[in-house]
Amino acid sequence: KSYIHLPEVDKFSSVKNKLDSLGSKYGIKKLDKLAAVKSEQDKDIQDNLKLVKSKALSEYVGKIYRRVYSFWKTPLGAVKKSATVSFTVFSKGNINEPVIRKSTGVRNLDSAAVTAILDSAPFSPIPDALNRPNLKINIVFRYVPKKT
């Protein structure tokens, strides 16, 4: 038996031959146009990915806020103040210890804010679409006295 040995072919040789047959000037213009189209398509894909991530992030953070606020209890007689509390949500939805970034100056109010976060954890896992191991959250708790 005899085998036919084919020469090794460069995977781009057909493209190169086509461009050579079109003439180098026209071929370069064609390549430039193709590169511009590809670049525009890549930009569109990146923009769409950003939108998907932005929507997923917005929805996820919104769920966290709603859950925390559902556990938040405003102490009676609270004065008009606000507290900012931050914490990190990890990939599985567990959190680290909440930290008061801006205190109300009233211990019971700060404590109510931290307790709301601790009671609402764990959260649902971070969506895969976000492609991140953790997420830093800052929540502002506004205390407004109830009118009597």
Side-chain angles (χ1 to χ4, degrees):
K1 290 183 177 181
S2 66
Y3 293 96
I4 299 173
H5 294 283
L6 297 173
E8 207 169 298
V9 177
D10 178 355
K11 65 181 176 179
F12 297 107
S13 64
S14 63
V15 174
K16 288 177 188 172
N17 292 339
K18 183 87 169 169
L19 288 175
D20 287 343
S21 70
L22 293 173
S24 63
K25 187 174 183 180
Y26 180 76
I28 290 171
K29 285 182 183 177
K30 186 74 170 174
L31 272 178
D32 287 343
K33 284 181 183 177
L34 287 172
V37 168
K38 175 83 169 113
S39 175
E40 193 60 37
Q41 288 172 342
D42 287 347
K43 184 180 177 308
D44 288 345
I45 289 168
Q46 291 301 317
D47 288 346
N48 285 337
L49 284 173
K50 285 178 188 175
L51 285 174
V52 167
K53 281 186 176 184
S54 176
K55 183 177 182 200
L57 179 62
S58 179
E59 288 174 358
Y60 184 69
V61 171
K63 285 179 185 177
I64 289 174
Y65 273 60
R66 285 188 296 279
R67 183 163 170 80
V68 169
Y69 287 142
S70 74
F71 281 86
W72 182 38
K73 308 217 179 354
T74 306
L76 291 176
V79 293
K80 187 176 182 177
K81 297 205 176 241
S82 66
T84 303
V85 184
S86 67
F87 59 97
T88 301
V89 179
F90 299 103
S91 61
K92 304 253 190 249
N94 54 321
I95 65 169
N96 67 343
E97 188 69 27
V99 175
I100 298 169
R101 295 287 176 209
K102 179 183 170 227
S103 173
T104 61
V106 179
R107 189 176 195 178
N108 286 349
L109 299 181
D110 292 346
S111 180
V114 170
T115 299
I117 293 168
L118 292 172
D119 289 350
S120 62
F123 301 101
S124 58
I126 295 176
D128 292 337
L130 297 181
N131 194 27
R132 57 192 314 161
N134 57 54
L135 183 62
K136 184 86 165 175
I137 303 286
N138 291 296
I139 299 183
V140 177
F141 295 85
R142 285 184 174 55
Y143 294 96
V144 180
K146 294 189 176 171
K147 294 181 182 179
T148 54

